[in-house]
Amino acid sequence: MSITTDTRQSLPLGTWALDPVHSTIGFEVSYLAGTFRGQFREVGAVLEAGETPALSGSAKVASVDVKDENLAAHLQTPDFFDAERYPELSFESSAIDRDEDRITVRGAITIRGVEKPIDLTGTINGPINDAYGRERIVLKLETTIDRIEFGVNWNVPLPDGKPALDNEVKLVAELYFVKEA
């Protein structure tokens, strides 16, 4: 008698370390008539895939990367992330569900010392072996949060009275993981 396990419904077992060179964690927010984007250069994450899978990660606020260094400096102030008081953003999962190549990660995000529950949804690819014999998986995840709930209140009114910056912020992550030996 043979037993088959559907590995497409579970995560590949083991401890998976983030490959920060290929990974991105960023945000998108409506600003004026378009979308403002940024990302964090210094990020870390670990995926523990066992009986109870867990994903945890963080980003250094001081590493926020936008196309203008003056704006990057403004994002460090209490108007936005308040890097001096809250140097890191973090996430801890409470549950991970996989259905074929779709994945949902439930957990809590902490921004400016405020912790809120979120659901990240997206896709999982792999595992695959890279050219150096290492096993890899990639998670592409996103969610939307209300920045006001985390104390990120800065805004300026436009001539028509509407705010320049939307309250809803899309968080996006493309996380490349390498299986630890």
Side-chain angles (χ1 to χ4, degrees), residues 129-143:
N129 289 318
D130 67 17
Y132 306 100
R134 294 174 297 199
E135 210 173 349
R136 293 179 173 266
I137 57 175
V138 178
L139 301 179
K140 293 180 183 179
L141 302 168
E142 65 180 50
T143 194

Side-chain angles (χ1 to χ4, degrees), residues 16 51 61 70 139 163:
W16 299 81
E51 191 172 312
V61 171
N70 291 322
L139 301 179

Side-chain angles (χ1 to χ4, degrees), residues 103-117:
I103 192 162
T104 300
V105 182
R106 290 176 188 77
I109 192 168
T110 302
I111 301 171
R112 290 179 53 115
V114 177
E115 182 180 292
K116 296 281 183 183

Side-chain angles (χ1 to χ4, degrees), residues 83-124:
E84 189 173 316
R85 290 182 55 205
Y86 308 103
E88 244 180 30
L89 314 173
S90 64
F91 174 81
E92 294 286 333
S93 70
S94 57
I96 301 175
D97 298 311
R98 179 178 183 178
D99 183 11
E100 297 291 330
D101 66 343
R102 302 291 308 160
I103 192 162
T104 300
V105 182
R106 290 176 188 77
I109 192 168
T110 302
I111 301 171
R112 290 179 53 115
V114 177
E115 182 180 292
K116 296 281 183 183
I118 62 170
D119 287 352
L120 299 160
T121 59
T123 59
I124 180 170

Side-chain angles (χ1 to χ4, degrees), residues 39-44 58-65 76 81 83 86-90:
Q39 65 181 11
F40 298 93
R41 291 182 317 277
E42 293 180 40
V43 297
S58 62
K60 301 279 186 204
V61 171
S63 75
V64 70
D65 187 18
Q76 304 296 315
F81 292 116
Y86 308 103
E88 244 180 30
L89 314 173
S90 64

